[in-house]
Amino acid sequence: MIGLLYDFVHVLVMALAIVSAVCSFAFADADLPAVIAVTVLSCVIAVLPPKLRSRGRILLAGMVLAVLFGMTLTREAGTRMEFIREHLSVLAVFLGCVLFNHACRYIRNLRIIPVLAGTAVLLFSLFASIPMKRPAVLAILLWIVLSLCELIQNRWRKEGDGETEVHMVFSFPVIAVLFLILSLMKIPAVPYDWKFAKDLLKELRSGYELVKETLNLQNSWDEEDAEVGFSEDSRFFGRIGGSSYKVFETVSNHSAGEELRLMGKTFDTFEGRSWIKKDDSEENSRMYDILETISAIQTFDPDHVRDYIRSSTLQIAPEGLRTAHVFSPIKSIPEVVNEETIQKGGDLLFSKQNRRRYAVGFYRLNRSYEGFEALLNQNAETIDPISEESLKNAESMISGEDLSDISPAGLQAYRTRIHEVYGEKPALSDRTEELLEEELAGIESEYQKLLKIESMLSRMNYTTSPGTLPEYVNSAESFLDYFLFESGEGYCTHFASAFVLLSRYLGIPARYVQGYCFVTEEGTTQVMSDKAHAWPQAYLEGIGWLDFEPSPGRKRASGWAVRKDTETDGEDSEEDMAAWYRERYGTNAGKEEPVNPEGNEPSRKPEGSSLFAVLGLSVLFLVAFIPMDLLYRKIRYRRMSLKEKVRDRFEACMRILKRMGLKIREGETLSEFARRASQSLGAEVLTFISAYETMIYGERPVTEEDAVKMEQACSALRKLFWQRLTRRGKREEEEPSGTPGRQESDSGGKSGYPGSETAYNDHETRRKGG
């Protein structure tokens, strides 16, 4: 019995853990109570056969097959084979559980496998954000705890009974009660986020970076560190990666969900296998860019400027980052709060490197607004050139800034230099030119051409391990041929580089940018090192620099909702931006229901008449099994020799005695057992034992009469068993002793060793003091 309980509990817990985990990962909507019920029943079926005799195994297997056949038969036509295929995995699970439990009896240390496997599943579910139902988690934890308990029991030196199975069986109820209490405990509506642990890890990482910075003899990380999002040159690596740690924190008034791109460094020259920066001019290019954009908007739609552009501020606190570059959005004002800055080739740099918190002012562009799309779709010829008047109007929106060096002539010189530095047309191969002509056929607007290139590149594959560039890649032409037609995959550096080169071929100035791209959170946003990104910027004549995103899966529009009331212009024109971003980029979008193209109804569970059909098949099996079993036993008995018949009937008698509570003890002889059992049943009932010993261990051969008498003893003992069971023996004690039935029984009791009812009743009378 102990062994049966041990096997049942282990197989049950193992099967529950495996089935519930599979249901959580593959069938999130599975009915777990039904799964548990089926699992318990299946475990009983899996554990019982080794403990049963052949007849019991046949009966159990037949009942199971009858039920399965009935369930399959009641499925809808055309779905039965699918039903069988779906449930073959159940058989594999239980067979695997039984075999594993059997193997653990011989190799005790195999119990470490459930501990490792269960822990791995829970950790995978946690870090992969795969939800698991509570019963599934409890089942896996129970499997882990039971396995750990048995490992401890195996290594525990005990005095007295050292059987591990016995100790485990008596430990099961305690463990089960603990997990029952866990299952009844309430779960908080919001899961614990372990924020203090996450913040501690980030602070430790940032502290490590500070120590590394202190020990580093270089003045900055701008030289050759690709991990921080920018470097002195931008090379193509065969594989990118690295740890994730906090590089800085930002505080803005933006709604949660809005995307921010912070420029760190721009590059102007492509050398075939990397980007470098040659432009070192110190003109006020940032302010010219802002004024050009504002002027274009004022000219295009002077009454609703704030629907297109708005001022904003951003606070940045560097931590695990060391650089002279100022991270700032594309339309940033050069003046940085609390810091002295300089401009160099369009980049903003600190005069003295430090890591103090700083703030930048910038202008947000409503790129998602259809009016802004119309503005960008203008041809350069239709955009009015900036005049003295339009420049002053644009300057009026920028109060408090030193614009003494800004002039229309300076703006024109700025535009000329952009075309010289960022507009050099690369040489392309014939097949790249043909691809561009095919993709851009019929498109006139420069902005639409850029969007088409962006869309074309985003259809390619993104990978962090594209492999190193071949040796023959040493120019813009060879790079584009390799990337577009041979490799077809890469990471942000590949896509940004291709966009810049193709844009320049079309006569549109463009540059390669390195920095950070992230989505804002409410209040403070922690920016990690893995948010480093590279993207292209293109220059539209009369409008200014604009960000683009050709990397697959990375494009995300930015902006705010605009009211349709054309007479409203100001703060009141902005709706709930957080709701707008959730509507566009929310992750809780409803899932579509699966569609059955053939129009077949899904398979149904057996209900009503279907259930009766399953039960009917089970009853038919029992009705057919019982007579067939009796016939088989009779045929088998007839084919036995006399000695085999005597042994078979004797074993049947001993089984009956066992059911009556009289079991032969370990080391006890048959004679000793007969003397002990006679105290309950009387000596005459057990005379068949001494006769069996004489026949089996004596020298005389077994005769036909011996077999007949053993059959009679078995029949009499079986009758005695049923009398005790139904208490008919007590009623027979009250009958007159001279009845024909009693005389026949007495004569039967005196005829030999088979035993009699009289002997039993007389013994009962004496035992009760009658």
Side-chain angles (χ1 to χ4, degrees):
M1 189 65 180
I2 293 294
L4 181 63
L5 287 174
Y6 173 85
D7 289 337
F8 173 73
V9 173
H10 267 298
V11 173
L12 173 63
V13 173
M14 193 186 316
L16 279 177
I18 295 174
V19 172
S20 57
V22 171
C23 288
S24 296
F25 290 142
F27 313 105
D29 298 327
D31 187 4
L32 278 182
V35 169
I36 292 174
V38 173
T39 305
V40 173
L41 179 62
S42 303
C43 286
V44 173
I45 297 171
V47 172
L48 277 181
K51 310 297 181 182
L52 298 176
R53 294 179 175 271
S54 299
R55 185 174 55 176
R57 296 174 187 175
I58 295 173
L59 180 62
L60 181 64
M63 289 293 294
V64 171
L65 290 175
V67 172
L68 294 178
F69 181 73
M71 292 178 64
T72 305
L73 192 64
T74 56
R75 309 302 291 185
E76 293 292 328
T79 63
R80 290 168 185 163
M81 289 305 299
E82 181 181 357
F83 173 75
I84 293 174
R85 286 193 298 268
E86 288 177 353
H87 292 80
L88 283 177
S89 57
V90 177
L91 177 62
V93 168
F94 293 114
L95 285 178
C97 292
V98 172
L99 292 175
F100 180 78
N101 187 65
H102 185 69
C104 288
R105 287 178 173 270
Y106 299 97
I107 308 175
R108 298 288 188 177
N109 290 333
L110 285 179
R111 292 292 179 195
I112 194 64
I113 295 178
V115 177
L116 299 177
T119 305
V121 169
L122 293 178
L123 290 177
F124 174 77
S125 173
L126 176 65
F127 291 110
S129 300
I130 299 177
M132 292 184 67
K133 292 188 177 180
R134 190 177 191 180
V137 176
L138 289 176
I140 295 174
L141 287 175
L142 180 58
W143 190 25
I144 294 173
V145 170
L146 284 179
S147 300
L148 284 174
C149 287
E150 182 152 350
L151 287 172
I152 294 172
Q153 289 286 342
N154 291 335
R155 297 181 177 275
W156 193 351
R157 295 182 179 179
K158 313 177 188 68
E159 295 181 0
D161 190 352
E163 287 293 330
T164 300
E165 292 183 4
V166 176
H167 289 275
M168 287 302 301
V169 167
F170 285 100
S171 300
F172 290 153
V174 179
I175 299 173
V177 169
L178 292 176
F179 274 85
L180 179 61
I181 295 174
L182 282 177
S183 65
L184 296 177
M185 292 175 64
K186 292 184 178 180
I187 302 178
V190 179
Y192 191 69
D193 59 359
W194 296 95
K195 186 177 184 300
F196 78 96
K198 295 177 182 178
D199 292 343
L200 178 61
L201 289 176
K202 291 175 182 177
E203 294 299 329
L204 290 175
R205 175 67 188 193
S206 298
Y208 163 75
E209 296 300 332
L210 283 173
V211 173
K212 189 169 75 171
E213 172 191 342
T214 304
L215 298 178
N216 196 341
L217 298 180
Q218 294 180 349
N219 292 325
S220 71
W221 280 350
D222 301 342
E223 299 300 326
E224 295 182 356
D225 194 332
E227 190 174 304
V228 296
F230 58 93
S231 58
E232 186 62 27
D233 62 357
S234 178
R235 292 167 290 169
F236 294 92
F237 296 92
R239 184 177 182 274
I240 59 172
S243 59
S244 177
Y245 58 91
K246 184 170 65 174
V247 289
F248 52 79
E249 286 185 349
T250 64
V251 180
S252 68
N253 58 356
H254 295 187
S255 299
E258 185 172 357
E259 183 183 69
L260 270 180
R261 292 174 181 265
L262 302 185
M263 300 168 53
K265 187 173 185 178
T266 61
F267 299 84
D268 49 63
T269 304
F270 185 68
E271 292 194 328
R273 302 179 72 87
S274 65
W275 285 90
I276 63 173
K277 187 176 185 68
K278 292 183 177 180
D279 183 17
D280 58 357
S281 61
E282 297 184 359
E283 67 178 343
N284 197 351
S285 57
R286 291 283 183 117
M287 194 58 70
Y288 276 123
D289 180 48
I290 295 173
L291 292 172
E292 190 171 21
T293 303
I294 294 176
S295 177
I297 294 172
Q298 288 178 331
T299 303
F300 182 76
D301 192 356
D303 297 328
H304 306 94
V305 175
R306 292 188 56 80
D307 288 345
Y308 298 80
I309 188 169
R310 291 184 179 181
S311 61
S312 185
T313 58
L314 180 69
Q315 293 184 14
I316 300 175
E319 292 192 22
L321 185 65
R322 179 161 57 107
T323 178
H325 288 261
V326 179
F327 284 95
S328 57
I330 186 172
K331 303 293 179 181
S332 298
I333 297 174
E335 297 297 327
V336 175
V337 177
N338 298 327
E339 296 292 340
E340 294 183 5
T341 59
I342 60 173
Q343 294 188 62
K344 189 174 182 180
D347 294 342
L348 198 60
L349 294 90
F350 293 114
S351 299
K352 297 180 180 179
Q353 180 186 323
N354 53 53
R355 56 167 61 246
R356 288 185 298 175
R357 180 187 295 269
Y358 62 90
V360 294
F362 67 100
Y363 287 86
R364 300 163 57 197
L365 300 180
N366 194 359
R367 293 286 299 274
S368 61
Y369 178 39
E370 57 185 11
F372 205 99
E373 289 284 315
L375 167 67
L376 299 179
N377 281 322
Q378 298 179 99
N379 290 324
E381 294 78 8
T382 63
I383 300 177
D384 294 334
I386 295 182
S387 60
E388 292 277 356
E389 183 180 358
S390 61
L391 188 60
K392 288 183 180 180
N393 290 336
E395 291 176 356
S396 64
M397 288 190 62
I398 307 176
S399 59
E401 298 296 328
D402 182 11
L403 303 178
S404 58
D405 59 341
I406 301 298
S407 65
L411 176 59
Q412 187 58 46
Y414 163 73
R415 288 177 173 175
T416 302
R417 192 179 58 80
I418 285 180
H419 283 275
E420 291 176 352
V421 176
Y422 302 102
E424 184 180 357
K425 186 175 181 179
L428 301 186
S429 65
D430 292 341
R431 55 179 177 174
T432 304
E433 290 181 351
E434 291 175 1
L435 176 64
L436 266 183
E437 290 178 3
E438 180 180 347
E439 291 285 341
L440 303 179
I443 300 178
E444 298 295 335
S445 166
E446 288 187 346
Y447 177 67
Q448 288 299 322
K449 290 180 180 179
L450 294 174
L451 291 182
K452 190 64 177 179
I453 295 174
E454 184 183 62
S455 174
M456 178 187 73
L457 294 174
S458 66
R459 295 197 300 265
M460 300 172 67
N461 295 327
Y462 184 91
T463 178
T464 57
S465 54
T468 57
L469 294 177
E471 292 296 329
Y472 66 82
V473 175
N474 54 13
S475 64
E477 178 181 350
S478 57
F479 168 74
L480 288 173
D481 284 348
Y482 169 74
F483 179 60
L484 295 176
F485 304 106
E486 295 183 34
S487 171
E489 61 181 12
Y491 54 92
C492 56
T493 298
H494 297 76
F495 292 99
S497 300
F499 183 96
V500 172
L501 296 175
L502 294 175
S503 300
R504 290 182 177 182
Y505 178 79
L506 298 177
I508 305 172
R511 63 190 179 188
Y512 176 91
V513 181
Q514 284 185 342
Y516 286 88
C517 177
F518 57 95
V519 175
T520 58
E521 300 174 2
E522 187 173 354
T524 301
T525 302
Q526 295 185 350
V527 182
M528 310 301 290
S529 60
D530 57 7
K531 299 302 181 183
H533 189 48
W535 67 93
Q537 290 178 349
Y539 177 78
L540 295 180
E541 186 78 32
I543 294 177
W545 289 102
L546 296 172
D547 290 323
F548 289 86
E549 184 52 84
S551 296
R554 293 296 301 263
K555 186 172 182 178
R556 183 185 178 104
S558 60
W560 56 90
V562 174
R563 291 186 178 179
K564 300 301 181 182
D565 184 2
T566 56
E567 304 203 356
T568 302
D569 184 28
E571 293 296 334
D572 293 338
S573 65
E574 184 171 356
E575 297 180 356
D576 185 1
M577 288 168 47
W580 184 79
Y581 275 98
R582 284 196 300 270
E583 181 181 353
R584 283 202 167 206
Y585 306 110
T587 57
N588 297 325
K591 297 181 180 178
E592 295 184 2
E593 294 294 330
V595 179
N596 189 344
E598 298 180 0
N600 295 330
E601 294 184 2
S603 56
R604 302 172 181 172
K605 298 179 180 179
E607 299 177 356
S609 60
S610 301
L611 182 60
F612 284 116
V614 173
L615 295 176
L617 286 173
S618 302
V619 172
L620 286 176
F621 171 76
L622 289 176
V623 172
F625 174 77
I626 293 174
M628 290 180 63
D629 179 61
L630 292 175
L631 178 62
Y632 168 75
R633 291 165 63 189
K634 286 183 178 181
I635 294 175
R636 176 176 169 272
Y637 184 76
R638 288 175 183 175
R639 293 180 177 179
M640 292 180 181
S641 65
L642 292 176
K643 191 172 183 178
E644 289 173 342
K645 289 180 179 180
V646 170
R647 186 185 296 275
D648 180 79
R649 292 300 86 196
F650 174 78
E651 292 175 353
C653 290
M654 296 300 290
R655 286 196 296 271
I656 296 172
L657 290 175
K658 185 177 179 180
R659 295 192 191 106
M660 296 170 70
L662 296 171
K663 180 182 178 182
I664 190 168
R665 296 171 180 172
E666 186 177 357
E668 191 176 35
T669 65
L670 289 175
S671 299
E672 292 171 343
F673 170 70
R675 285 194 297 272
R676 180 168 58 84
S678 63
Q679 297 175 7
S680 298
L681 299 179
E684 294 184 10
V685 179
L686 304 173
T687 53
F688 73 92
I689 296 179
S690 58
Y692 176 76
E693 286 183 306
T694 303
M695 287 182 286
I696 297 300
Y697 303 112
E699 296 181 355
R700 73 177 181 85
V702 179
T703 64
E704 184 72 31
E705 184 181 359
D706 293 330
V708 172
K709 288 182 178 181
M710 190 62 72
E711 291 174 7
Q712 292 173 353
C714 185
S715 300
L717 197 59
R718 187 179 293 110
K719 187 176 181 181
L720 194 61
F721 168 73
W722 285 109
Q723 285 176 353
R724 273 196 162 191
L725 193 64
T726 59
R727 298 185 179 276
R728 284 187 294 181
K730 184 177 180 180
R731 291 198 299 270
E732 291 183 6
E733 286 181 1
E734 299 173 355
E735 294 180 2
S737 58
T739 58
R742 175 59 59 89
Q743 290 174 357
E744 290 175 4
S745 298
D746 289 346
S747 61
K750 298 176 182 178
S751 61
Y753 63 83
S756 67
E757 299 171 22
T758 304
Y760 169 70
N761 292 327
D762 289 345
H763 171 73
E764 288 293 299
T765 303
R766 288 195 302 273
R767 187 173 62 82
K768 295 177 182 178

